[in-house]
Amino acid sequence: MKKKANGGTSLHLRRAGCYVVLVLLSVVCLFPFLMLLVNSTRHHVDIQRAFTLIPGTALLRNIRNVLDNETILIVRGLLNSLIVATCSTVLSVYFSAMTAYAIHIYEFKLRKAAFVFILLIMTIPTQVSALGFVKLITALHMKDTFIPLIIPAIAAPACVFFMKQYMESSLPREIVEASRIDGSGEFHTFNCIIAPILKPAFAVQMIFGFTASWNNYFSPSLVLTKAENKTLPLWIAYLRSADFTKFDMGQLYTMIAFSIFPVVIVYLLLSKFIVQGVALGSVKG
Amino acid sequence: MYKNKKKKHVSYSKWGYIFMLPFFLVYSFFSLGPLLSTFYYSVFENYMSGLNTIGPNFVGFENYVKLFTEGDLLKYTQNTLIMWALGFIPQILVSLLLAAWFTNSRLKLRGSGFFKTVIYMPNLIMASAFSMLIFTLFSNNGPVNMLLQQAGITTESIHFLSSTAGSRGLIALMNFLMWFGNTTILLMAGMMGIDPSLFEAAEVDGATPFQVFQRITMPLLRPILAYVAVTSLIGGLQMFDVPQILTNGKGGPDRTTMTLIMYLNNHLYSKNYGMAGALSVILFIITGALSLVVFYFISKQRKN
């Protein structure tokens, strides 16, 4: 009896300790974004004067200033980012599922070799071929177009691996056999019968693909140079290289908020799927 | 009958190739081709001298020799590894702790969904914007310095970015914040895969939570820990956005935060293609070797 009571209090103590650490870590994670949110609502002069966590009243003014800014085209950047991220995500998810499906369903000679190849290249960074990539798109006159940022998304090895893992857990081969007996063609089977089954995997990979493209700074910086083509990360880099002291800080915070909060909102809406999806594309022990 | 069946089988295998074709076409054109041409450029001398282009002249392995003797390859490798380790060590420790707590059935922590959502969030934030935000918050008269002065902790503003420790510390902090949530989730998946009867048996034998962690969780988690470490190192070698934006591409102070990819980026911008090529090949060899390790882990798991 006594022993049990002791175990109970120590468990309570441990639990309290856990909460303290978790709350502290959450505060550290959220603090920069809270500051960002608060400072986007404040007037330049107030931001320069003192630190506070109380929101100001200049949010609309800051947003109008960002929209009216004729040198730093944040809205144009937002649109460009949206176009590139949406197109590349759709292509990457669809063709990755198709590639994984080929390896999962069909029996053919190069099947194993193809999968081994995809696993091997999965963790090799794109940066190591950046030089050849730049030379190639320059030769093809593709600089300052979105094509070199969108089309390569068709070959996304990590996404293929994720899809393959998902298919192994939830796509029985019998479905394909059954639809063949019903006279469905191979493409029809994939698009109309298999794709709906893969919806949860599509959802997870769409979020990951979209954020990866939205946040990508390295490749667009090699491809896009004209102001009207720049994506958001390039404008962020521009902000950093400009003379910092002459900036309206309220506007600066609002610009950063423009690039961060769209993803945060999508994440908060879909966080359950995302957190579940993280472990599926990796080794679990 | 038999013949007919066999024919059908062959006709289906054709579809396997058709479905894979787009992936391999695009990969060959935009990745494999450029990778091979990068190898090719690495043995040519080709750079800008003022407005004149020098080369391309075939020079064999001269670029590689130059890279190791004249450049600061070693220094930048060191910078990259130090900043990676500064972020990774706290990351793995905190993640282990959190994963153990979240999966502990006796602790029954409430709101774990909320905490997981919060700690994973920084991973999806645009690294360049996050870096810009941290730069602004920690600038000489930014909010953090104001807070420290208002709270009476310091009287003068701290110049975080003028010191090596400050800059590296901030970069490591960002890497930590961006990745510890991800690592926690991976380790949780690993811990949930451990047979619960092992924990029950240990409890019956009167093991303390620390003993359980040390004797059961850790040994069984070793493969996934190694996997996390190797993938993190591959990611660390690609470190670019955060230090590039934080230091405006300069890697300051005195290039102590210049990473390997920043170095590569500088060569690409100054059109020193020979050196950029040689550096890329070295990076390819290192990340390729590490990728083999990852491949080993994945194929080992898939066999089970």
Side-chain angles (χ1 to χ4, degrees), chain A residues 58-72:
Chain A
L59 178 63
L60 287 176
R61 184 180 170 278
N62 285 337
I63 291 179
R64 205 173 319 119
N65 281 341
V66 172
L67 299 185
D68 291 344
N69 196 322
E70 278 172 3
T71 351
I72 304 168

mmCIF file of all heavy atoms in Angstrom, chain A residues 58-72:
data_model
loop_
_atom_site.group_PDB
_atom_site.id
_atom_site.type_symbol
_atom_site.label_atom_id
_atom_site.label_comp_id
_atom_site.label_asym_id
_atom_site.label_seq_id
_atom_site.Cartn_x
_atom_site.Cartn_y
_atom_site.Cartn_z
ATOM 1 N N ALA A 58 -1.219 48.756 -36.625
ATOM 2 C CA ALA A 58 -0.756 49.149 -37.962
ATOM 3 C C ALA A 58 -0.794 48.007 -38.972
ATOM 4 O O ALA A 58 -0.212 48.115 -40.047
ATOM 5 C CB ALA A 58 0.645 49.724 -37.877
ATOM 6 N N LEU A 59 -1.479 46.892 -38.648
ATOM 7 C CA LEU A 59 -1.462 45.732 -39.541
ATOM 8 C C LEU A 59 -1.922 46.085 -40.960
ATOM 9 O O LEU A 59 -1.225 45.804 -41.933
ATOM 10 C CB LEU A 59 -2.337 44.614 -38.969
ATOM 11 C CG LEU A 59 -2.426 43.357 -39.854
ATOM 12 C CD1 LEU A 59 -1.070 42.700 -40.009
ATOM 13 C CD2 LEU A 59 -3.419 42.353 -39.293
ATOM 14 N N LEU A 60 -3.083 46.741 -41.063
ATOM 15 C CA LEU A 60 -3.613 47.066 -42.390
ATOM 16 C C LEU A 60 -2.682 48.010 -43.137
ATOM 17 O O LEU A 60 -2.452 47.861 -44.337
ATOM 18 C CB LEU A 60 -5.011 47.681 -42.268
ATOM 19 C CG LEU A 60 -6.105 46.677 -41.882
ATOM 20 C CD1 LEU A 60 -7.432 47.389 -41.687
ATOM 21 C CD2 LEU A 60 -6.234 45.579 -42.936
ATOM 22 N N ARG A 61 -2.134 48.953 -42.390
ATOM 23 C CA ARG A 61 -1.204 49.914 -42.978
ATOM 24 C C ARG A 61 0.030 49.181 -43.516
ATOM 25 O O ARG A 61 0.469 49.428 -44.645
ATOM 26 C CB ARG A 61 -0.807 50.912 -41.896
ATOM 27 C CG ARG A 61 0.076 52.036 -42.374
ATOM 28 C CD ARG A 61 0.409 52.971 -41.219
ATOM 29 N NE ARG A 61 1.433 53.902 -41.636
ATOM 30 C CZ ARG A 61 2.727 53.620 -41.651
ATOM 31 N NH1 ARG A 61 3.140 52.427 -41.265
ATOM 32 N NH2 ARG A 61 3.608 54.518 -42.056
ATOM 33 N N ASN A 62 0.563 48.251 -42.714
ATOM 34 C CA ASN A 62 1.732 47.482 -43.146
ATOM 35 C C ASN A 62 1.418 46.650 -44.383
ATOM 36 O O ASN A 62 2.215 46.574 -45.318
ATOM 37 C CB ASN A 62 2.203 46.559 -42.020
ATOM 38 C CG ASN A 62 2.922 47.324 -40.934
ATOM 39 O OD1 ASN A 62 3.447 48.411 -41.169
ATOM 40 N ND2 ASN A 62 2.926 46.774 -39.729
ATOM 41 N N ILE A 63 0.240 46.019 -44.380
ATOM 42 C CA ILE A 63 -0.141 45.188 -45.529
ATOM 43 C C ILE A 63 -0.256 46.056 -46.771
ATOM 44 O O ILE A 63 0.248 45.705 -47.846
ATOM 45 C CB ILE A 63 -1.477 44.447 -45.252
ATOM 46 C CG1 ILE A 63 -1.255 43.388 -44.175
ATOM 47 C CG2 ILE A 63 -2.007 43.790 -46.539
ATOM 48 C CD1 ILE A 63 -2.498 42.621 -43.798
ATOM 49 N N ARG A 64 -0.892 47.253 -46.635
ATOM 50 C CA ARG A 64 -1.038 48.148 -47.783
ATOM 51 C C ARG A 64 0.344 48.560 -48.298
ATOM 52 O O ARG A 64 0.582 48.597 -49.502
ATOM 53 C CB ARG A 64 -1.865 49.370 -47.401
ATOM 54 C CG ARG A 64 -2.552 49.985 -48.631
ATOM 55 C CD ARG A 64 -3.522 51.110 -48.258
ATOM 56 N NE ARG A 64 -4.315 50.840 -47.087
ATOM 57 C CZ ARG A 64 -4.293 51.589 -45.969
ATOM 58 N NH1 ARG A 64 -3.490 52.623 -45.892
ATOM 59 N NH2 ARG A 64 -5.072 51.297 -44.953
ATOM 60 N N ASN A 65 1.254 48.846 -47.380
ATOM 61 C CA ASN A 65 2.605 49.221 -47.792
ATOM 62 C C ASN A 65 3.287 48.096 -48.570
ATOM 63 O O ASN A 65 3.993 48.349 -49.541
ATOM 64 C CB ASN A 65 3.459 49.572 -46.567
ATOM 65 C CG ASN A 65 3.156 50.965 -46.065
ATOM 66 O OD1 ASN A 65 2.597 51.784 -46.803
ATOM 67 N ND2 ASN A 65 3.500 51.230 -44.819
ATOM 68 N N VAL A 66 3.084 46.866 -48.124
ATOM 69 C CA VAL A 66 3.686 45.725 -48.827
ATOM 70 C C VAL A 66 3.088 45.617 -50.225
ATOM 71 O O VAL A 66 3.803 45.437 -51.220
ATOM 72 C CB VAL A 66 3.461 44.410 -48.044
ATOM 73 C CG1 VAL A 66 3.913 43.220 -48.873
ATOM 74 C CG2 VAL A 66 4.205 44.450 -46.728
ATOM 75 N N LEU A 67 1.764 45.763 -50.319
ATOM 76 C CA LEU A 67 1.092 45.631 -51.616
ATOM 77 C C LEU A 67 1.501 46.754 -52.567
ATOM 78 O O LEU A 67 1.598 46.552 -53.775
ATOM 79 C CB LEU A 67 -0.431 45.652 -51.437
ATOM 80 C CG LEU A 67 -1.043 44.536 -50.589
ATOM 81 C CD1 LEU A 67 -2.558 44.618 -50.590
ATOM 82 C CD2 LEU A 67 -0.614 43.162 -51.078
ATOM 83 N N ASP A 68 1.733 47.954 -52.011
ATOM 84 C CA ASP A 68 2.060 49.108 -52.858
ATOM 85 C C ASP A 68 3.540 49.207 -53.203
ATOM 86 O O ASP A 68 3.922 50.020 -54.038
ATOM 87 C CB ASP A 68 1.638 50.420 -52.165
ATOM 88 C CG ASP A 68 0.129 50.535 -52.084
ATOM 89 O OD1 ASP A 68 -0.540 49.778 -52.812
ATOM 90 O OD2 ASP A 68 -0.383 51.348 -51.300
ATOM 91 N N ASN A 69 4.377 48.412 -52.550
ATOM 92 C CA ASN A 69 5.818 48.500 -52.777
ATOM 93 C C ASN A 69 6.165 48.152 -54.218
ATOM 94 O O ASN A 69 5.833 47.071 -54.709
ATOM 95 C CB ASN A 69 6.548 47.553 -51.813
ATOM 96 C CG ASN A 69 8.016 47.864 -51.725
ATOM 97 O OD1 ASN A 69 8.644 48.212 -52.718
ATOM 98 N ND2 ASN A 69 8.567 47.746 -50.536
ATOM 99 N N GLU A 70 6.824 49.097 -54.908
ATOM 100 C CA GLU A 70 7.077 48.877 -56.331
ATOM 101 C C GLU A 70 8.445 48.259 -56.626
ATOM 102 O O GLU A 70 8.715 47.862 -57.745
ATOM 103 C CB GLU A 70 6.902 50.190 -57.103
ATOM 104 C CG GLU A 70 5.435 50.449 -57.398
ATOM 105 C CD GLU A 70 5.170 51.816 -57.994
ATOM 106 O OE1 GLU A 70 6.136 52.561 -58.236
ATOM 107 O OE2 GLU A 70 3.991 52.128 -58.200
ATOM 108 N N THR A 71 9.322 48.200 -55.634
ATOM 109 C CA THR A 71 10.623 47.565 -55.845
ATOM 110 C C THR A 71 10.579 46.102 -55.422
ATOM 111 O O THR A 71 11.105 45.238 -56.115
ATOM 112 C CB THR A 71 11.722 48.252 -54.999
ATOM 113 O OG1 THR A 71 11.196 49.417 -54.432
ATOM 114 C CG2 THR A 71 12.953 48.514 -55.803
ATOM 115 N N ILE A 72 9.990 45.856 -54.262
ATOM 116 C CA ILE A 72 9.960 44.489 -53.737
ATOM 117 C C ILE A 72 8.574 43.926 -53.987
ATOM 118 O O ILE A 72 7.607 44.229 -53.296
ATOM 119 C CB ILE A 72 10.317 44.490 -52.240
ATOM 120 C CG1 ILE A 72 11.680 45.154 -52.044
ATOM 121 C CG2 ILE A 72 10.331 43.078 -51.688
ATOM 122 C CD1 ILE A 72 12.011 45.459 -50.619
#
